[in-house]
């Protein structure tokens, strides 16, 4: 045992070892600067914005003629210029006899501008969010920024459109400016529709899908059902707001119209106008929203 101990001691370097080099703290080495942490998904960004525009234009071109016809019938019925059915028959007769005159008319162009601009705003916001957050190009959002941006675009364009529609299809006589209360009511109407069209389907869709059977899910998704159902259902609330705004324009306050008479007029036209607006909104944000979503997803998958 003593020899082994002596041998071990002979192996020890008599030179004192140098103290260990101080290592930098883990925070200095492992934690990069915030600038290095942030990454942006800029792949094919220009083409992705082009896909946003193409999907919005394709959806708007599909729904614009029908919505222009329905909007005209609602306004002519509310102003007394024509019945809703008579206005629909007149527009459909023009579509069959002179389709180019209707499809290239100012009302159809205004509707194309309205919904194309609304879809494009929602699409561009999704692209901006996926770029800034480094997410896939197919990613979509459903939060407050999307609601605010889509509402701002839709309300601004819709108020611009309504100025022309009430003058084209409102009461006969010289055109007059749209009063502020009508503007505010039209704004509330559009905010309700936008919220139900862009924000509710991504939230309601998964809940519907979880309650659907396997066979039904293979046929249609919960998000697609929500895209049709939510905008249609909100018309029960938004149609009276719309009719009140039209009545304020059609019968100015200077005439001394009591509010009770206004609400009587709204109730009178509520059922038929709600049905017409559901027929209008299902193409606009149901069919149009679905086409916009699916075309955009298809294009973005090719660009990802």
């Amino acid at each position: 045992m003593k020899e082994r101990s002596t041998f071990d001691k002979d192996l020890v370097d008599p030179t004192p070892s140098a103290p260990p080099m101080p290592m930098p703290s883990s925070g200095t080495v492992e934690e990069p600067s915030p600038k290095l942490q942030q990454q942006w998904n800029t792949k094919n960004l220009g083409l992705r914005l082009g896909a946003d525009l193409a999907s919005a234009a394709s959806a708007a071109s599909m729904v614009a003629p029908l919505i222009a016809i329905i909007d005209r019938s609602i306004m002519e019925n509310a102003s007394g210029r024509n019945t809703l059915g008579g206005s629909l028959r007149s527009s459909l007769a023009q579509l069959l006899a002179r389709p180019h005159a209707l499809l290239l008319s100012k009302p159809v162009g205004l509707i194309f501008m309205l919904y194309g601009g609304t879809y494009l705003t929602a699409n561009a916001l999704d692209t901006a969010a996926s770029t800034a957050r480094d997410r896939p190009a197919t990613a979509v959002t459903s939060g407050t920024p999307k609601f605010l941006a889509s509402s701002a675009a839709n309300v601004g364009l819709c108020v611009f459109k309504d100025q022309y529609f009430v003058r084209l299809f409102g009461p006969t006589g010289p055109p007059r400016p749209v009063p502020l209360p009508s503007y505010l009511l039209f704004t509330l109407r559009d905010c309700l529709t936008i919220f139900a069209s862009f924000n509710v389907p991504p939230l309601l869709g998964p809940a519907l899908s979880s309650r659907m059977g396997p066979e039904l899910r293979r046929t249609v998704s919960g998000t697609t059902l929500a895209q049709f159902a939510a905008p249609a259902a909100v018309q029960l609330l938004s149609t009276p707001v719309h009719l009140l705004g039209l009545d304020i324009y059609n019968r100015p306050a200077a005439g001394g119209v009591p509010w009770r008479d206004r609400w009587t007029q709204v109730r009178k036209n509520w059922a038929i106008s709600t049905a017409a607006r559901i027929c209008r909104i299902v193409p606009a944000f149901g069919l149009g929203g679905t086409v916009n979503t699916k075309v955009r997803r298809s294009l973005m998958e090719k660009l990802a």
Side-chain angles (χ1 to χ4, degrees):
M1 294 296 295
K2 186 176 289 186
E3 290 179 1
R4 182 177 180 181
S5 173
T6 306
F7 180 75
D8 291 341
K9 287 180 182 179
D10 292 338
L11 293 177
V12 177
D13 187 0
T15 307
S17 61
M21 293 292 292
M23 297 295 294
S25 64
S26 59
T28 306
V29 173
E30 297 180 0
E31 186 175 339
S33 66
K35 291 184 178 179
L36 295 178
Q37 285 182 331
Q38 186 176 8
Q39 293 183 351
W40 292 49
N41 177 16
T42 58
K43 181 181 178 181
N44 293 326
L45 182 56
L47 293 176
R48 284 157 57 193
L49 291 173
D52 290 337
L53 177 61
S55 55
S58 61
S61 62
M62 287 185 61
V63 303
L66 178 60
I67 296 174
I69 291 173
I70 296 175
D71 271 5
R72 173 178 179 173
S73 66
I74 293 174
M75 290 199 170
E76 288 190 335
N77 180 69
S79 66
R81 289 183 65 165
N82 201 347
T83 63
L84 191 141
S87 179
L88 288 173
R89 287 191 295 271
S90 174
S91 297
L92 291 175
Q94 183 186 16
L95 179 61
L96 293 175
R98 302 175 59 206
H100 64 282
L102 179 70
L103 297 177
L104 299 178
S105 64
K106 179 181 288 187
V108 172
L110 289 168
I111 296 295
F112 177 86
M113 173 202 69
L114 166 61
Y115 288 101
T118 303
Y119 298 143
L120 178 59
T121 300
N123 293 346
L125 189 94
D126 286 338
T127 295
S130 64
T131 299
R133 299 172 187 174
D134 193 24
R135 298 183 63 192
T138 55
V140 296
T141 62
S142 61
T144 302
K146 189 173 189 176
F147 169 69
L148 293 177
S150 302
S151 294
N154 184 265
V155 169
L157 293 173
C158 196
V159 167
F160 179 79
K161 181 267 296 182
D162 284 340
Q163 290 184 67
Y164 284 93
F165 267 64
V166 295
R167 293 171 184 172
L168 289 171
F169 310 123
T172 56
R176 57 181 183 274
V178 179
L180 179 60
S182 292
Y183 276 128
L184 296 177
L185 290 167
F186 293 157
T187 300
L188 175 59
R189 170 204 66 192
D190 294 334
C191 286
L192 290 170
T193 301
I194 288 297
F195 181 77
S197 302
F198 287 100
N199 293 75
V200 172
L203 301 174
L204 183 61
L208 291 177
S209 295
S210 65
R211 289 165 172 78
M212 293 163 57
E215 293 294 331
L216 183 58
R217 279 202 300 269
R218 279 194 288 268
T219 305
V220 63
S221 69
T223 301
T224 299
L225 286 178
Q227 188 69 64
F228 280 86
V234 83
Q235 299 311 304
L236 297 171
L237 299 176
S238 65
T239 298
V241 177
H242 173 68
L243 292 175
L244 182 59
L246 289 178
D247 190 68
I248 291 174
Y249 176 82
N250 294 333
R251 298 189 294 171
V257 181
W259 283 102
R260 181 177 297 179
D261 290 351
R262 294 196 186 279
W263 284 114
T264 300
Q265 184 71 12
V266 168
R267 286 197 301 269
K268 175 184 174 183
N269 293 317
W270 176 79
I272 190 170
S273 296
T274 298
R277 283 185 61 79
I278 288 176
C279 293
R280 169 196 189 279
I281 216 68
V282 166
F285 288 111
L287 176 62
T290 300
V291 169
N292 176 62
T293 299
K294 290 189 175 182
V295 171
R296 181 180 184 273
R297 184 188 301 122
S298 175
L299 294 175
M300 290 300 182
E301 286 175 350
K302 297 175 182 177
L303 297 174

